[in-house]
Amino acid sequence: MALATEKTLPSARPLLEATIERIGQVILGKEPQLRLALACLLARGHLLIEDLPGVGKTTLAHALAKILGLNFKRIQFTSDLLPADILGVSVYQPETHSFAFHPGPIFTQLVLADEINRATPKTQSALLEAMEERQVTAEGNTLKLPEPFFVIATQNPHHLVGTFPLPESQLDRFLMRIELGFPDRAAERGLLKGRDRRDILETLAPVLDGARLLQLQREAARLHASEALLDYVQNLLAATRRGGRFAEGLSPRAGLALLAGARAWALLAGRDMVLPEDVQTIAPAVIGHRLRPAGDEAERREVLVQRLIESVPIP
Amino acid sequence: MTTAVSLTPTPAADRGALLALEIAGLVAVAPHALELPFWVVLVFAASCLWRYVIETGRGTRPGRILRYTLAALVLAAVFREYHSLLGRDPGLALLIALLGLKLLELETRRDYMLSVFLFYLVTLGSLLYAQTLPISAYALVSVFASTAALIRLNQPTGLARRQTLGLAATLLAQAVPLMLVLYVFFPRIQGALWAMPPGGGAARTGMPESMAPGNVRNLTESAEIAFRATFEDAPPPMRDLYWRALALYVTDGQEWFRGRWSRSGAESYTALSEPLRYEIVLEPTFKHWLPALDLPTEAPRGAQFQSGFTLTHAEPVRDRRRYTLSSHTRYRTAGPTAGERAGALQLPTNLSPRVRALASEWRARGDPAAIVQAGLDYFHSENFVYTLSPPLLGADPVDEFLFETRRGFCEHYAAAYATLMRAAGVPARVVLGYQGGEYNAAGNYFIVRQYDAHAWTDVWLPERGWVRVDPTAAVAPERVELGLEAVRRLQARGAALGTLPAADALRAIEPGWAESLWFRSQLYWDLANITWYRWVADFDKERQARLFARLGLDRLPGSGPLIAILSGAAGLILVYGGLLLWRERPRLDPTQALYLKFCRRLARAGVARTPHEGPLDFAGRSARRRPDLRARIDIITRRYVRLRYGPAPEKAELGLFRHEVRSFRPSRKRA
């Protein structure tokens, strides 16, 4: 932000800035996406990264886990992946004549669900349910997932063969969806010239830990959102529900997501209040995947959201 | 969008909509059964039934040829009925019958809506006949039904039946204030609409314009109300209630006519009693005459005197007329002009010798008063009978009646008496009118019915002028004292007229309690109707003008009160609408208002904020465009953001912000 208008939180700002800076060393030239990803995490949401293979999705997840001091597991989704492969499995113990639950890879603070659209819908929904409820029910026992719990799912664009694109209702489970895109020339040169990313990841020192992150999440959720700002959020929601521009209007859940995202973004910016700009900034990532244009307009979602924002005056 | 919707067919499965429509239609059409030929209503009802059967899938839609044939048949039938397709009755008949046929081809939503709107028109049509209390009340019910149908059509699935009816009732209730305002202030259309010719001949019972044996008697079968009269003070006794309608001078021996002595202007007379002021509400007669109590002093507006102290109106009375008169029941009139006197002595050329002989016997007495009395005595003593069913008379009814049948109704007596008087040299004329009336104590007025029609005579006596002489009273005083209805009852009981003392006669016709209850309720019902008429239906142009005058609106210049009222009403509506908008206006809090002022000033300085631009974005952009203002913009924006979006801003902040914004006056020049 150009202005130093904000009362800065004493500890959050430098920590978060340091985090961004540190990840920026690994993922070159992608600061806006990094900030969004971090905001998504602070808003206790899950992130969907949709892009081609090889643009650094996995590296981003890895780097986030490292720097935030979270334990990390990666699940590679394939068409033969079963729900049990994610959630865990009960195994018979001949010694005790009983079943013991072996937790699956989801019992991790940061899960990378790689190429989620390669798995069958059944497996996808097992993951998505766990994401939503933050717990796993197996053999009648309910097991809490660790805190913080953050899923980064990656998805290949739909036109690739052999995928099960996530249905609209499931997309809603992700607070944000971002695209990384190709790096610009300078960033790519840095990538080519620099060390192997894996080596850098190895040496990366954490800035935060789980407890600190939880505290930041709570701070974000408490951030002040004034009546005027809520008016603005509601106006945005209302604008999607009328006028026939979109197939369906935004759900109340989308409204909550918008507000949570904006709060996290304001926290990242070091402010103690949410501004309309925060909403506008995170809106493409938060509602882009929740809106479907009416008719067969083949417009990019980001453009749609931008137009929506431009059509709604700030009250 | 809406046009697309309106063209889509109503779902065939929506039988409820059709039912609602048909009910509304039947309700609207039903009252017309009283006025229009029955087959018209039947066509409508049958079409409703047919359409419903089609809807249930058990019938087939009529093809185009059948529909056109039916329409042509309807046209032909209406024409056959009225010999015309124009006018009120044929128009309504056509509208209703064709509307019924229209139901058969209901297809689109538009058809349904159109039908409902035409039902409103049909409802309006029922008021073309009369605007009485029951008809008006029924029209309200009909409007309610149509409105409910309209709501049903617009809510294919939405509302429960009770909600639909409730909404319709609410809508009507909400329309009441507007209705009242329009009723009072909307310019009254006089004549043009209501005087619509009924189409075809209007055969109505009512006072004939001439008198022949039997034609007054025909009226006695009709209990239709002729008029109502309300006296301002105590009403005169029954025997003085002679309501003059026509004075007849010319006779051909059979029939009596008005003759050519009619002249304008009141004849003068000297009043011998206090004036009685009263108001008459006359039912449509389609004739010119206006009834007035013996003898009226001056003609009401639009009417003039004819000879014989009778009043005629310039136009035939096509709808209820209300007028105020004053009369004196005791009077002495001036003498007739020579022409009138000659007319009042005219005799049929073929006067029978027997009549001539009787008259000349009386003439010999010389004194006209004695002659008049002799005539009355003759009727009284010679075994004459007053009867409602007199025998038919032949070529010389007066002779036949006087010397053979001696059974007659009032017109027989009046005609015979006037003929005798003339033959005896006393000027005489026959007066047609009404006598008596039913007193409605609840409303303090008299109801005069067609069966109160009466004929009597005026004779001219030198020292007293025209004197009313009722030969019927000499035979049957009950007719005059108690009224025709009493006579009918007495005769039904076999009592001889003219023999019983009045008190006994009254006792003889005392109604039973049930009957008297019925009479009383009838009177109250009549009172309700006439009150409705006087206060609501008869609010005409004249009364409106009077109301405006009372409100002081008549002194307004220009086209007068109408324009003033209409512009006043328009103004009121505008103010009301403005008030609503004002109440619904987006409330700007002071912070926002000040910020917008700041934005306007920046816009004048060359940086306009787009409505969706956040404060920080705008501050950044404007600072880049006007670096010279950066510091001020920063301060103001920071303050604004804290006030508008921050947690619990301090009160003092707003004052500072106001000061900062007001002192922010950027120059137009670019730095």
Side-chain angles (χ1 to χ4, degrees), chain B residues 97-435:
Chain B
L98 291 181
L99 198 48
L101 296 184
K102 174 76 188 165
L103 290 179
L104 294 177
E105 52 175 22
L106 282 184
E107 191 80 58
T108 60
R109 194 182 167 78
R110 185 178 156 279
D111 293 339
Y112 276 73
M113 306 282 269
L114 183 70
S115 300
V116 177
F117 292 133
L118 288 174
F119 293 160
Y120 283 114
L121 191 63
V122 170
T123 304
L124 189 66
S126 69
L127 293 171
L128 287 178
Y129 292 105
Q131 291 151 290
T132 60
L133 179 60
I135 289 181
S136 305
Y138 190 86
L140 198 64
V141 171
S142 181
V143 167
F144 171 74
S146 293
T147 307
L150 207 52
I151 291 168
R152 178 67 181 75
L153 291 180
N154 283 297
Q155 293 279 341
T157 52
L159 297 174
R161 187 171 307 157
R162 256 182 63 193
Q163 284 175 302
T164 303
L165 297 178
L167 184 56
T170 310
L171 282 175
L172 286 192
Q174 284 169 339
V176 165
L178 187 63
M179 181 188 81
L180 290 179
V181 167
L182 286 180
Y183 189 84
V184 173
F185 291 114
F186 197 79
R188 314 302 298 176
I189 300 162
Q190 207 87 45
L193 188 55
W194 310 120
M196 198 185 262
R204 282 184 176 265
T205 53
M207 183 70 69
E209 297 259 353
S210 68
M211 186 184 85
N215 65 1
V216 175
R217 203 211 66 85
N218 288 340
L219 294 180
T220 62
E221 301 300 327
S222 167
E224 251 181 65
I225 290 170
F227 59 92
R228 296 176 179 81
T230 317
F231 287 94
E232 274 181 12
D233 301 308
M238 191 86 152
R239 61 173 178 278
D240 280 344
L241 291 178
Y242 280 87
W243 309 97
R244 303 172 79 87
L246 297 160
L248 309 177
Y249 288 85
V250 183
T251 177
D252 60 0
Q254 290 253 359
E255 216 171 320
W256 286 75
F257 307 95
R258 299 173 66 183
R260 289 184 289 110
W261 289 274
S262 303
R263 62 172 190 199
S264 306
E267 296 162 74
S268 58
Y269 69 86
T270 314
L272 299 179
S273 66
E274 290 300 303
L276 288 165
R277 279 189 67 75
Y278 56 98
E279 180 195 77
I280 285 183
V281 177
L282 180 64
E283 298 296 318
T285 57
F286 300 93
K287 306 273 169 55
H288 291 267
W289 53 264
L290 303 175
L293 192 66
D294 221 16
L295 288 174
T297 52
E298 59 188 22
R301 262 175 60 114
Q304 56 179 207
F305 272 105
Q306 304 298 332
S307 50
F309 299 99
T310 56
L311 292 168
T312 54
H313 193 257
E315 296 288 319
V317 181
R318 289 203 191 87
D319 49 356
R320 264 188 185 168
R321 259 215 103 65
R322 174 149 69 144
Y323 52 94
T324 311
L325 285 172
S326 58
S327 292
H328 298 274
T329 53
R330 300 278 175 272
Y331 46 82
R332 178 176 298 151
T333 71
T337 60
E340 191 185 7
R341 189 185 159 83
L345 285 169
Q346 176 257 334
L347 283 166
T349 46
N350 56 348
L351 192 65
S352 83
R354 280 196 285 189
V355 175
R356 227 178 262 281
L358 183 61
S360 49
E361 190 182 307
W362 294 341
R363 187 203 281 264
R365 302 185 189 186
D367 177 22
I371 298 173
V372 166
Q373 191 54 48
L376 289 178
D377 290 344
Y378 181 74
F379 284 134
H380 190 63
S381 56
E382 288 287 324
N383 206 19
F384 278 86
V385 175
Y386 178 76
T387 174
L388 297 181
S389 43
L392 284 174
L393 299 173
D396 190 351
V398 173
D399 180 82
E400 228 170 300
F401 166 68
L402 278 175
F403 302 108
E404 278 156 37
T405 64
R406 296 202 163 176
R407 298 165 58 80
F409 192 60
C410 58
E411 71 249 46
H412 299 94
Y413 288 96
Y417 188 76
T419 308
L420 280 169
M421 286 303 113
R422 287 179 174 190
V426 178
R429 63 192 177 203
V430 169
V431 182
L432 267 185
Y434 296 86
Q435 199 278 322

Side-chain angles (χ1 to χ4, degrees), chain B residues 466-488:
Chain B
W466 286 106
V467 175
R468 184 183 68 224
V469 176
D470 188 352
T472 307
V475 180
E478 293 88 347
R479 166 66 187 89
V480 174
E481 303 276 340
L482 303 175
L484 186 90
E485 199 49 34
V487 169
R488 210 195 291 272

Side-chain angles (χ1 to χ4, degrees), chain B residues 514-596:
Chain B
E515 213 177 356
S516 105
L517 195 70
W518 169 243
F519 284 150
R520 197 129 9 112
S521 59
Q522 290 255 351
L523 289 180
Y524 276 108
W525 177 235
D526 190 75
L527 174 65
N529 274 304
I530 199 64
T531 308
W532 168 261
Y533 168 74
R534 287 163 78 159
W535 291 99
V536 181
D538 190 38
F539 184 72
D540 59 7
K541 201 172 183 174
E542 205 175 304
R543 270 165 251 274
Q544 189 178 39
R546 233 178 287 159
L547 175 73
F548 287 173
R550 201 174 303 166
L551 297 176
L553 295 169
D554 56 332
R555 286 190 296 276
L556 292 167
S559 312
L562 173 62
I563 301 291
I565 294 293
L566 287 183
S567 44
L572 269 180
I573 290 170
L574 279 181
V575 166
Y576 183 63
L579 210 66
L580 284 183
L581 281 179
W582 174 252
R583 274 174 49 185
E584 296 295 313
R585 77 194 184 283
R587 301 284 167 96
L588 276 189
D589 75 352
T591 308
Q592 185 68 1
L594 284 168
Y595 181 68
L596 291 180

Side-chain angles (χ1 to χ4, degrees), chain A residues 41 46-49 57-58 61-62 64-65 70-77 85-86 104-114 116 127 130-131 145-146 148-154 174:
Chain A
L41 178 56
H46 304 288
L47 181 67
L48 177 67
I49 304 178
K57 295 180 298 234
T58 315
H62 238 124
L64 265 177
L70 306 175
N71 52 43
F72 170 76
K73 278 214 179 87
R74 168 185 170 158
I75 311 169
Q76 179 64 47
F77 277 52
D85 295 333
I86 299 170
I106 199 167
F107 288 87
T108 314
Q109 286 170 317
L110 201 161
V111 180
L112 174 65
D114 216 359
I116 187 170
L127 172 74
M131 276 164 54
L145 291 173
F149 175 67
F150 185 45
V151 174
I152 297 178
T154 71
F174 290 98

